[in-house]
Amino acid sequence: MKVLQVIPYMETKYGGPVFVTTTISYFLNFNNIENKILSIDSKQAQNNSDVITYKKTSRFWFFSIDFLLNAHKEVRGCDCLLVHGVYSFFTFWAYTLALVYRKKIFLRPAGTLDIDSIFDGHRFKALARIFYLTVTGIFIYLISCKIIFNSSKEKSNSLLGSTRKAIILPNGINLKAVNVKSGSKIFNKPYKLFFMGRLDPIKGIDLLINAVNNLDEKIKKDVELIVAGDGQYNFVRRIKSQSCSNIKYIGHIEGRLKYQYLNECDIYLQPSKTEGLSNSMLEAMFCQVAIITTKNVGLSRELIEKDAAEVIDFDVTQLIMSITKLIKSKELVERYKANSFYFANKSYNFEKNIHNYIKIFRESC
């Protein structure tokens, strides 16, 4: 069996989908299953021997004449395709080739079908997403064998989530990668808070900045928040200008460095407006960090049931209260750390979960 994964980018700044793609590839190799990743040419893609790269023609829609003319060579020789995301030429052309060559194809929307995400942002962008999904959605649905969601929250809050082709397949983390210690002091204050991800309003970063700015002064003087990630220039400049001196921005980080920060911090914060399943939050769970997140993030229901995190509304007052509560209660922090690690290792250890992917590939092929 040969599996092709299709994703229009391999730069780690794009976050979760890239890590999921490379982790699936790693464990397919581990299980002696031939696989390749088809993506746009980039330095990070070139450094991965499992990636076949194509030259990008335009920034718009990740359009690539190279992919248009040459991807058929790979698709023709594979057994099935796993496509990540919806809004790209790579998705559209992969589906077209799968139809032509009668190949089985699976879709991981990676949050792109989330209803809240579709309507987030400017009205023009929302209308453009709706138009695109209206035009391509029926085609994608009809050709897909399965539409794979990461969590019950993502599935229930997504277009096509209630259809017969929708399934939940947790991906997860490669546990072997997370046990990294810094060996040096990263944080400079007693209470160490950490956020990692795309700097965008949908991630709740402005809510987080507002909460730290307004902590009680007796607590605030001992708090440091480190923010890792990049975003749109004007937005990042604005939130930096609004941040107190306790907040430090370090830009995009990856690999061993991100695990050093996760292993050193006390509290990881994921206060998103909406999100399917946060890869960064999963990594924090495996690093045994106490977590604060919102009811809008995938796994929120499970985290409440397992008593494994502070789960709040998208509300600055609740966020301030939760940060304060965890700072004042070491016992609660330790309980959340233990419960979230146990839950993550049981349900989101990719060494175990990859067999679910292999099973649906084999059943379809």
Side-chain angles (χ1 to χ4, degrees):
M1 182 170 67
K2 180 179 179 181
V3 178
L4 286 184
Q5 295 191 76
V6 179
I7 184 170
Y9 47 77
M10 284 300 291
E11 293 88 348
T12 54
K13 68 179 181 179
Y14 289 106
V18 177
F19 295 113
V20 172
T21 303
T22 54
T23 306
I24 289 175
S25 179
Y26 172 86
F27 282 112
L28 287 176
N29 287 332
F30 186 79
N31 285 274
N32 299 313
I33 294 176
E34 185 181 358
N35 73 98
K36 289 292 179 182
I37 300 168
L38 309 186
S39 189
I40 286 288
D41 188 20
S42 68
K43 287 184 178 180
Q44 286 166 311
Q46 291 170 358
N47 292 333
N48 189 330
S49 61
D50 291 333
V51 182
I52 298 172
T53 60
Y54 300 87
K55 292 181 180 179
K56 181 168 64 175
T57 304
S58 168
R59 290 183 179 181
F60 174 73
W61 201 33
F62 290 98
F63 181 68
S64 167
I65 293 177
D66 189 13
F67 187 73
L68 174 71
L69 297 178
N70 296 305
H72 67 93
K73 300 172 186 176
E74 298 299 329
V75 173
R76 186 169 51 196
C78 79
D79 294 297
C80 62
L81 294 92
L82 177 61
V83 177
H84 302 265
V86 172
Y87 303 114
S88 77
F89 172 71
F90 270 58
T91 300
F92 173 77
W93 194 239
Y95 267 82
T96 302
L97 292 174
L99 179 63
V100 170
Y101 291 111
R102 297 183 179 182
K103 302 297 180 179
K104 303 297 183 180
I105 191 163
F106 304 86
L107 176 67
R108 277 194 70 257
T112 53
L113 296 181
D114 184 283
I115 295 169
D116 293 327
S117 179
I118 291 168
F119 288 97
D120 184 68
H122 298 298
R123 185 176 298 177
F124 175 77
K125 284 187 176 180
L127 290 173
R129 293 182 191 123
I130 293 167
F131 174 77
Y132 184 80
L133 291 172
T134 301
V135 172
T136 65
I138 296 175
F139 172 58
I140 288 173
Y141 175 74
L142 291 175
I143 304 302
S144 296
C145 288
K146 298 291 182 184
I147 301 171
I148 302 170
F149 297 99
N150 282 324
S151 67
S152 57
K153 186 268 177 186
E154 184 193 5
K155 180 176 179 291
S156 64
N157 204 51
S158 293
L159 296 178
L160 306 180
S162 60
T163 65
R164 63 181 179 84
K165 293 185 178 182
I167 61 171
I168 299 172
L169 278 189
N171 46 60
I173 302 297
N174 181 359
L175 190 56
K176 298 173 183 177
V178 303
N179 190 23
V180 177
K181 299 294 183 180
S182 66
S184 60
K185 188 177 180 181
I186 294 177
F187 292 83
N188 297 309
K189 294 197 175 183
Y191 304 126
K192 304 178 283 291
L193 279 55
F194 186 53
F195 169 91
M196 179 171 64
R198 180 163 48 96
L199 304 189
D200 186 275
I202 203 169
K203 296 288 187 176
I205 183 63
D206 42 357
L207 186 83
L208 176 55
I209 300 310
N210 192 9
V212 174
N213 284 343
N214 289 282
L215 286 171
D216 184 273
E217 288 299 328
K218 291 180 181 179
I219 294 174
K220 185 177 173 181
K221 65 182 178 63
D222 290 324
V223 167
E224 181 179 19
L225 167 65
I226 292 182
V227 175
D230 292 320
Q232 199 274 331
Y233 175 77
N234 289 333
F235 175 74
V236 174
R237 184 175 63 174
R238 177 175 67 80
I239 61 170
K240 283 184 176 180
S241 70
Q242 295 172 351
S243 300
C244 65
S245 60
N246 301 58
I247 302 172
K248 179 181 177 182
Y249 294 85
I250 60 172
H252 174 68
I253 60 174
E254 57 187 76
R256 291 177 61 86
L257 186 57
K258 68 177 178 180
Y259 293 122
Q260 290 177 9
Y261 279 92
L262 284 169
N263 279 302
E264 292 294 322
C265 72
D266 299 312
I267 302 171
Y268 179 78
L269 301 113
Q270 192 73 42
S272 303
K273 280 185 180 179
T274 181
E275 189 157 357
L277 178 61
S278 166
N279 207 66
S280 298
M281 190 171 76
L282 277 180
E283 290 173 324
M285 292 165 71
F286 276 104
C287 289
Q288 300 186 56
V289 181
I291 292 168
I292 300 175
T293 189
T294 69
K295 295 175 182 176
N296 308 322
V297 175
L299 294 190
S300 59
R301 300 169 192 169
E302 292 89 341
L303 290 172
I304 293 171
E305 290 171 2
K306 306 294 183 183
D307 190 27
E310 280 286 300
V311 182
I312 61 174
D313 293 326
F314 188 77
D315 177 81
V316 68
T317 301
Q318 289 189 33
L319 184 53
I320 292 170
M321 291 173 62
S322 289
I323 293 172
T324 304
K325 182 165 73 171
L326 289 189
I327 285 174
K328 289 183 174 181
S329 177
K330 288 185 178 180
E331 181 182 346
L332 183 58
V333 166
E334 292 302 316
R335 188 167 80 237
Y336 283 162
K337 287 164 61 174
N339 291 347
S340 64
F341 175 76
Y342 177 81
F343 169 56
N345 191 38
K346 182 179 179 181
S347 303
Y348 288 90
N349 184 335
F350 221 148
E351 193 168 357
K352 303 172 184 175
N353 292 346
I354 191 64
H355 298 291
N356 295 322
Y357 278 89
I358 294 172
K359 181 180 178 182
I360 67 162
F361 292 157
R362 283 185 171 150
E363 287 176 348
S364 300
C365 296

